[in-house]
Amino acid sequence: MKLGMFDPTQQVPFSNIPYSVVDSAEHAALALRAARESMVLLKNEDHFLPLDPAKHQTIAVVGPLAGSRIALEGNYNAIPLHPILPIDGIEKEFGQDHVIYAQGSPYIPGGELPVPRTMLRAAGHSTVDGLEGQYFSHPSFDGAPAMVRIDREIDFDWAFANPVEPHHTSTQAFAVRWVGAIRSPVAETLNLQFRLPFCYPCQDKVKFAVYLDGNQLEPNAPPTPTTNKLPPSGRNYGAIQHFAVPFADTRPHDLRIEYVQTGRISGAGLAFEWGPREKFLQDQAIEAAKKSDVVVAFVGLTPRLEGEEMKVNAKGFAGGDRTDLDLPDVQQQMLEAVAKTGKPMVVVLLNGSALAVNWAKENARALLEAWYPGQSGGEAIAETLSGKNNPAGRLPVTFYTGVDQLPAFDDYSMANRTYRYFKGKPLFAFGDGLSYTTFAYSGLRISPRDLKAGDTLTVEADVRNTGTVAGDEVAELYITPPQSGPAPKLSLAGFQRLHLQPLEQRHIVFHLDARTLSQVDEKGTRAVTSGSYKISIGSSQPEGDQGPATATTVFTVTGSKELPH
């Protein structure tokens, strides 16, 4: 109601905000800042990161998440106009001539991937990766295109948008023609597919056709999901169109893809994908690693694996839920195969939930959690690897070693769940996160030390950057209450993020009110109770990855005070 979703458009102030404001330079800068601040460095053996250009002149970028648009966006997302993929960010940061790219594996066994830029050429004998995209501002190919550019992958989300004039929403009628060449990496039949708008019926809104060496290709079978009849040739909708295309050689073959949209479609877009042999992808990653000085492996999950009510046929997944916390088998196998080359490896995770990456923790030189980082995620990741961005993100969830550390899913008790009640040793703790510099805490003091139940507690401390580079610090404040009944072993009571230059010191203050100091008993009553409490402040939990740097003290609460729900 507050957003005006049930009111006439002309009465809703949000409706008058043009896309040019949404996609402003200020907001793009904010997206980059959000991505930078979300980076969580989980491991950095012997200060392996930032990468040293003198030692690491050639970087092998491997893994299915390196070129994944959907792993930037997550789900329930807006549509970024200029998404920066991880591979693009790394090529820009370190130089395209210093990067070797290989997909390495599909997301899951038997899964599809975007056709990689390494298979596409702007022309038959061109060395430019990608296809030439010719964008028309009307739903035909008459006249000259309004825009021409090189698209390195054909993987687009145009929901309610017009790629030719993205800041004008009055019309969503346009046409795009991609021309160039495709070069199969092997002389065999490739399973190609095009992911088209999912809407039914869209017969009169979308036209699509693909030509190889001048000949129009026909899909193998009715589109998926099937409808009650096959759409007419050149007009496919609401589906994934499959093509089994035999390649007798590995030379470039002329390719033309045509997409015409004549009206507004909620699921508009086009993705050109393939289903390669897993062993072939793995071998490509191994070869890339052999030619490199360091491997940066992008692995994890996508919104098509974890989400609402989706069909995923793979170990560890069930209807969008997860039945284990492991990395998908095929990605794990790729990591282990590439590691056998002996080249040092940095693992970058893109995912929306915790992963039990036990092997990566033991074998990778560095481990970076990047989540689903949004439109500027690739740039933020690359800047973190180069050291331009000093990571300071913290884990907002516990990373367990596996589901065997957790109670059954249908056990609704909080016992042994979350950092507040978990009694074991996790893979990575809630609040963990490293930096390229170091910090020290001193001068911890509280007032009053003897607190009357219901009053506010003030906590103060000094934080100093003891390293040689500037960086953000996230000061985490935890309370350990009297250990009785359902009380947690500790709780996060507050945090502050601050930027410190080398050797700079700042004073921080927390004010903890009665609700922050309260607990809930077995009957559901919330109250501040009497007893001895411990305060801990530092870069992590007292038992986290930077626990030794934590400062602690105690205070006493007298009396008790029940609080309203």
Side-chain angles (χ1 to χ4, degrees), residues 125-365:
H125 299 288
S126 172
T127 59
V128 177
D129 291 349
L131 299 177
E132 179 183 286
Q134 303 168 354
Y135 290 76
F136 296 79
S137 57
H138 46 265
S140 74
F141 299 109
D142 297 335
M147 176 176 66
V148 177
R149 70 185 187 194
I150 298 297
D151 290 326
R152 304 186 76 181
E153 287 88 13
I154 310 303
D155 184 17
F156 296 103
D157 186 348
W158 294 322
F160 300 118
N162 181 334
V164 185
E165 297 176 318
H167 295 161
H168 298 277
T169 58
S170 58
T171 176
Q172 291 176 16
F174 60 91
V176 187
R177 178 171 58 207
W178 291 274
V179 295
I182 182 171
R183 184 177 63 83
S184 174
V186 287
E188 64 183 36
T189 297
L190 295 188
N191 294 314
L192 306 177
Q193 68 181 42
F194 287 86
R195 191 179 297 268
L196 291 150
F198 186 79
C199 58
Y200 180 81
C202 290
Q203 295 95 319
D204 298 324
K205 291 186 178 181
V206 173
K207 295 180 181 180
F208 163 78
V210 57
Y211 302 85
L212 186 69
D213 289 332
N215 300 312
Q216 183 173 356
L217 300 180
E218 294 293 336
N220 301 343
T224 306
T226 57
T227 58
N228 58 2
K229 62 181 180 179
L230 183 67
S233 176
R235 182 180 293 169
N236 308 312
Y237 54 90
I240 297 176
Q241 293 289 317
H242 298 273
F243 300 84
V245 182
F247 286 90
D249 51 55
T250 59
R251 67 177 179 84
H253 291 263
D254 290 342
L255 178 67
R256 185 170 88 251
I257 303 167
E258 296 179 347
Y259 178 94
V260 178
Q261 182 173 310
T262 60
R264 182 183 177 95
I265 298 176
S266 62
L270 182 70
F272 182 23
E273 301 172 334
W274 71 321
R277 291 183 290 111
E278 294 161 17
K279 183 64 166 60
F280 171 74
L281 288 181
Q282 188 179 109
D283 289 344
Q284 283 190 318
I286 291 171
E287 288 304 309
K290 289 179 179 178
K291 298 175 183 177
S292 71
D293 301 307
V294 63
V295 176
V296 180
F298 288 85
V299 294
L301 305 175
T302 79
R304 292 179 186 160
L305 298 179
E306 51 177 357
E308 282 188 74
E309 300 182 13
M310 54 185 64
K311 295 181 180 179
V312 181
N313 183 24
K315 174 181 172 293
F317 302 91
D321 294 332
R322 296 174 60 196
T323 58
D324 65 37
L325 298 176
D326 299 335
L327 199 63
D329 284 351
V330 67
Q331 295 186 49
Q332 181 61 44
Q333 292 162 7
M334 185 266 300
L335 287 180
E336 295 181 23
V338 170
K340 291 179 180 178
T341 64
K343 298 300 175 70
M345 178 184 292
V346 176
V347 172
V348 181
L349 303 177
L350 288 94
N351 46 293
S353 56
L355 283 165
V357 284
N358 297 278
W359 183 93
K361 181 179 181 181
E362 292 298 321
N363 294 276
R365 297 294 300 275

Side-chain angles (χ1 to χ4, degrees), residues 387-392 394 434-439 463-474 497-504 506:
K388 285 184 180 178
N389 177 53
N390 190 346
R394 300 292 196 265
L434 303 173
S435 171
Y436 294 151
T437 188
T438 55
F439 300 93
V463 187
R464 183 179 179 84
N465 181 347
T466 56
T468 59
V469 296
D472 284 6
E473 167 66 334
V474 177
R497 185 172 187 137
L498 56 156
H499 185 78
L500 295 172
Q501 296 295 325
L503 304 181
E504 181 184 1
R506 295 268 295 277

Side-chain angles (χ1 to χ4, degrees), residues 57-130:
Q57 295 187 5
T58 303
I59 302 171
V61 175
V62 303
L65 280 298
S68 175
R69 171 187 55 81
I70 58 173
L72 288 182
E73 294 179 344
N75 55 16
Y76 290 90
N77 58 285
I79 310 304
L81 181 60
H82 300 295
I84 302 173
L85 303 179
I87 178 61
D88 291 324
I90 290 178
E91 287 185 347
K92 178 182 177 182
E93 185 69 21
F94 295 94
Q96 185 175 350
D97 293 341
H98 295 272
V99 177
I100 305 171
Y101 172 48
Q103 289 180 311
S105 80
Y107 303 125
I108 56 174
E112 71 284 338
L113 289 167
V115 171
R117 61 189 63 186
T118 52
M119 290 173 55
L120 303 175
R121 292 292 182 271
H125 299 288
S126 172
T127 59
V128 177
D129 291 349

